[in-house]
Amino acid sequence: MSDYEIRRYQLVDDDFLPQQMPPLLRQIYARRGVRRADELSLKASGLLHFSSLRDIGKAVELLQNALKNQEKVCICGDFDADGATSSALMVSALQAFGLQQVGYRVPNRMTDGYGLSVAMVEQLAVENVQLIVTVDNGIAAHDAIVLAREKGIQVLVTDHHLPPEELPPANAIVNPNQHGCEFSSKNLAGVGVAFYVLLALRSALREQGVEPLPNLADWLDLVALGTVADVVPLDYNNRVLVQQGIARIRKGMSRPGIKALLEVANRDASQLAASDLGFALGPRINAAGRLDDIGLGIECLLAGETRAQQLAQQLNDLNQQRKSIETEMREHAESAVAKLCFDQGQVPDLVTLYQPDWHAGVIGIVAGRVKEQVNRPVIALANDDDEFLKGSARSVSGLHMRDLLERVHSLQPGIMERFGGHAMAAGLTMKKENLTRFSELAEQVASEWLSEEQKQRVFWSDGELTTTQLSLDSVNTLQSAGPWGQQFPEPMFDGQFELVDQRIVGERHLKLVVRHPQGELLDAIAFNVDTQQWPARQASVVELLYKPQLNHFRGRTNVQLLVEQIRAIR
């Protein structure tokens, strides 16, 4: 779908920001909701205090008792990058606090389903675990937690997912999204919640005179990675966490696993941007959870130097495998969507895709890619076993995916076995026989909820740049003004350029040389273009939507335009 509209942000009041700051940057910050100059100082001292988290006192008490009595503790994580970083954080930090018997257990995406389960609790009871700490899950694990309590196991839930109507009977629940929690940032990732629990534990131990205590700043590299990889909104508090973690990685102060992952991804740690965490490191850790066992990712994050290098290479290989599976699945999905569009003259308000031979570990990525292509909510499903399907849903801005599934469930209770998630992403399980009815109901709800405005593909631009604003210094200022991310988007610009040269590199990428209206030649690259449309030999002027970036190559640095959208003007 090449139909889209570029809209430019309006000028907004930015007088409250420092006058010595470049006017362009002042506008960019003000448009993204910065309201005070002190919000630009991303110092650790700016973090919200843990005391407003509901149940934080109970959580600390559970952990203090575990330390005092050297209880056997199991960290129960999730099989994505947020779950992996949360698990590695909680295990290694509790060890640093002096806990001797702490291990982790994470379900296998293919065989166990999501989160803390009844089967897992049965296993942990046999192993005489005394305390279960969930990270990045647990808020919906009602039956598992009932069983744990019956078996005399204490449970501390740390999670950030939206809570069900009835909370599980855990000994303590720390989740900023639970009712009655006054912590003002509701956007913490699972790793952020776990980090806050550890901050509170450290504070309590310090008050009791316990020395020495670990410096929790040493774990901020993990917090940054999990926060960016989980695509949670980068509000001020999350920007502080991410910026502090990135600063440590740039200084070479990250753990061996993160260094090794950066090496296999060919990323320079000293030049690291938040987007590298999301596009280079996150997918390699996620590949383990998608195709094999997330334990590989967790072990890499816990490992010493030599072992970390071996595991990072394994994760890199898995990621290559994941890419080839995903490409094949995406091609299937795109041809299915093309048929849908062709049959109906337009894209349905919600697209449901199912292929019996799809890999259940990759359906979320496929749903996301197809959503980008058609600008509709997408649910991709694969076989879970002979009887059940597993689905992964991705939404468009303004349509809350978990609420949509909740509505489908209320229209026909029991049509799904399980569902859960966030506004933009959710997961579900259902019987195969329910697929047709489910897709009808889901599309019906989407039709009621989606406005015509939401169906349009709109890209927001910060305007045109002069050649001065495209200098090395200016682009460097923009890049280092982040961290950019979800709901704090990286600056994007648009303009018309004369097309000087165009060629395909690496199968699907379009390398360009363009001339700025003020006369300067610039390099540009557009990834994964439609090779039936490009190169367009007849085109002489193109409209680009782009992010300027610094390209470091063979010891030289130049400005390159990273093209998000391109169309020929004439």
Side-chain angles (χ1 to χ4, degrees):
M1 271 180 68
S2 59
D3 296 339
Y4 60 86
E5 182 187 347
I6 295 174
R7 291 185 193 164
R8 290 186 181 171
Y9 292 111
Q10 299 289 315
L11 283 174
V12 293
D13 174 34
D14 58 16
D15 287 344
F16 53 89
L17 291 171
Q19 291 305 301
Q20 63 272 31
M21 182 182 282
L24 176 66
L25 194 52
R26 286 212 310 270
Q27 273 296 300
I28 286 167
Y29 279 140
R31 288 165 180 162
R32 282 150 183 75
V34 172
R35 289 288 160 264
R36 301 187 314 274
D38 59 4
E39 282 183 46
L40 301 177
S41 164
L42 300 178
K43 293 191 173 128
S45 56
L47 284 173
L48 290 167
H49 197 266
F50 55 75
S51 56
S52 57
L53 280 161
R54 186 176 177 178
D55 270 10
I56 194 74
K58 290 184 193 171
V60 166
E61 203 176 314
L62 286 168
L63 292 172
Q64 279 186 290
N65 287 338
L67 280 167
K68 190 169 77 184
N69 304 320
Q70 284 301 333
E71 290 173 8
K72 190 168 188 184
V73 178
C74 183
I75 310 304
C76 291
D78 181 23
F79 39 59
D80 64 4
D82 188 13
T85 50
S86 307
S87 301
L89 164 71
M90 200 55 103
V91 168
S92 56
L94 288 177
Q95 285 172 338
F97 276 112
L99 192 64
Q100 286 160 25
Q101 297 186 86
V102 55
Y104 67 88
R105 196 68 50 91
V106 179
N108 183 294
R109 186 188 288 264
M110 304 309 150
T111 55
D112 302 328
Y114 166 79
L116 180 66
S117 63
V118 166
M120 201 185 285
V121 171
E122 297 275 14
Q123 216 177 352
L124 297 177
V126 172
E127 294 168 22
N128 299 317
V129 164
Q130 292 156 283
L131 171 65
I132 292 171
V133 180
T134 72
V135 289
D136 192 32
N137 78 99
I139 197 72
H142 193 274
D143 295 349
I145 291 172
V146 167
L147 180 66
R149 298 300 302 276
E150 283 170 3
K151 291 188 174 288
I153 303 174
Q154 296 188 299
V155 183
L156 162 56
V157 168
T158 78
D159 199 352
H160 69 128
H161 293 92
L162 297 172
E165 285 302 306
E166 186 187 354
L167 292 178
N171 299 77
I173 297 175
V174 182
N175 179 340
N177 289 303
Q178 67 179 312
H179 306 300
C181 181
E182 291 173 5
F183 190 78
S184 60
S185 168
K186 305 299 181 187
N187 297 319
L188 284 175
V191 72
V193 178
F195 184 71
Y196 263 87
V197 169
L198 292 164
L199 285 176
L201 172 64
R202 188 182 190 279
S203 174
L205 291 171
R206 196 176 57 203
E207 276 175 28
Q208 289 162 19
V210 177
E211 290 287 347
L213 289 168
N215 176 6
L216 290 174
D218 292 344
W219 281 269
L220 281 165
D221 55 348
L222 287 176
V223 180
L225 172 54
T227 300
V228 173
D230 212 45
V231 204
V232 292
L234 288 193
D235 60 13
Y236 174 69
N237 205 62
N238 277 341
R239 290 207 312 282
V240 173
L241 289 171
V242 171
Q243 182 58 31
Q244 291 296 318
I246 285 175
R248 294 184 74 80
I249 297 170
R250 283 181 187 153
K251 286 180 192 157
M253 294 165 73
S254 63
R255 67 208 53 252
I258 285 181
K259 282 182 185 161
L261 284 167
L262 284 167
E263 275 173 34
V264 295
N266 291 321
R267 291 296 195 278
D268 177 354
S270 67
Q271 306 282 347
L272 186 84
S275 55
D276 295 319
L277 299 177
F279 293 115
L281 271 59
R284 284 170 169 78
I285 292 171
N286 277 330
R290 293 184 188 285
L291 302 187
D292 192 341
D293 179 354
I294 194 65
L296 277 174
I298 298 170
E299 285 302 314
C300 180
L301 296 173
L302 290 171
E305 202 167 316
T306 309
R307 179 96 178 107
Q309 286 170 341
Q310 293 165 352
L311 289 166
Q313 191 54 58
Q314 266 180 272
L315 290 170
N316 195 52
D317 296 345
L318 277 173
N319 194 47
Q320 290 301 333
Q321 198 183 325
R322 185 270 305 166
K323 279 183 183 171
S324 62
I325 293 170
E326 179 209 322
T327 301
E328 190 181 331
M329 283 171 62
R330 194 172 70 224
E331 284 165 4
H332 286 169
E334 284 169 359
S335 66
V337 168
K339 284 191 192 115
L340 281 171
C341 303
F342 182 73
D343 292 348
Q344 301 178 20
Q346 62 182 56
V347 187
D349 289 331
L350 181 144
V351 176
T352 307
L353 300 165
Y354 163 64
Q355 294 255 137
D357 58 348
W358 276 1
H359 192 296
V362 186
I363 48 176
I365 301 180
V366 170
R369 301 268 198 246
V370 175
K371 179 207 83 167
E372 293 299 323
Q373 186 196 351
V374 298
N375 197 47
R376 296 287 187 279
V378 175
I379 301 174
L381 299 115
N383 287 343
D384 199 13
D385 56 28
D386 291 341
E387 190 183 357
F388 291 100
L389 298 175
K390 183 180 285 189
S392 205
R394 297 292 181 269
S395 195
V396 294
S397 186
L399 186 135
H400 196 297
M401 185 48 81
R402 189 190 171 280
D403 286 359
L404 180 138
L405 295 178
E406 183 91 63
R407 177 73 180 135
V408 170
H409 168 71
S410 68
L411 289 171
Q412 191 164 334
I415 195 163
M416 292 173 283
E417 304 298 307
R418 286 197 303 277
F419 66 91
H422 302 283
M424 297 303 283
L428 60 144
T429 308
M430 76 172 102
K431 288 187 172 168
K432 284 185 189 175
E433 64 206 42
N434 290 337
L435 176 60
T436 306
R437 180 68 183 135
F438 168 81
S439 54
E440 286 167 1
L441 283 173
E443 191 186 337
Q444 177 191 317
V445 175
S447 297
E448 290 166 9
W449 289 7
L450 269 180
S451 67
E452 286 306 312
E453 174 83 1
Q454 284 168 296
K455 295 180 200 176
Q456 291 177 343
R457 293 181 89 208
V458 175
F459 296 99
W460 286 92
S461 163
D462 287 290
E464 277 188 87
L465 291 182
T466 62
T467 50
T468 310
Q469 290 168 326
L470 281 165
S471 68
L472 284 172
D473 282 351
S474 292
V475 174
N476 188 41
T477 300
L478 279 181
Q479 283 198 321
S480 52
W484 310 106
Q486 186 72 3
Q487 290 183 27
F488 199 78
E490 193 171 347
M492 191 107 77
F493 305 93
D494 73 283
Q496 292 188 9
F497 298 84
E498 183 190 333
L499 187 52
V500 176
D501 190 37
Q502 52 178 326
R503 61 194 165 91
I504 293 291
V505 294
E507 290 184 19
R508 289 187 65 182
H509 313 316
L510 183 66
K511 197 98 174 65
L512 304 161
V513 177
V514 294
R515 191 184 305 281
H516 190 280
Q518 290 173 305
E520 193 161 318
L521 288 177
L522 293 157
D523 290 330
I525 188 158
F527 289 109
N528 295 312
V529 297
D530 180 346
T531 49
Q532 293 185 322
Q533 280 194 317
W534 298 97
R537 294 295 167 212
Q538 73 287 3
S540 59
V541 176
V542 287
E543 176 193 59
L544 302 182
L545 179 73
Y546 66 90
K547 297 171 186 168
Q549 56 177 206
L550 297 181
N551 185 33
H552 308 282
F553 186 64
R554 292 185 180 158
R556 292 184 58 203
T557 300
N558 70 322
V559 171
Q560 175 176 268
L561 309 185
L562 178 61
V563 177
E564 298 288 323
Q565 297 293 330
I566 176 171
R567 58 183 162 201
I569 297 298
R570 59 174 185 271

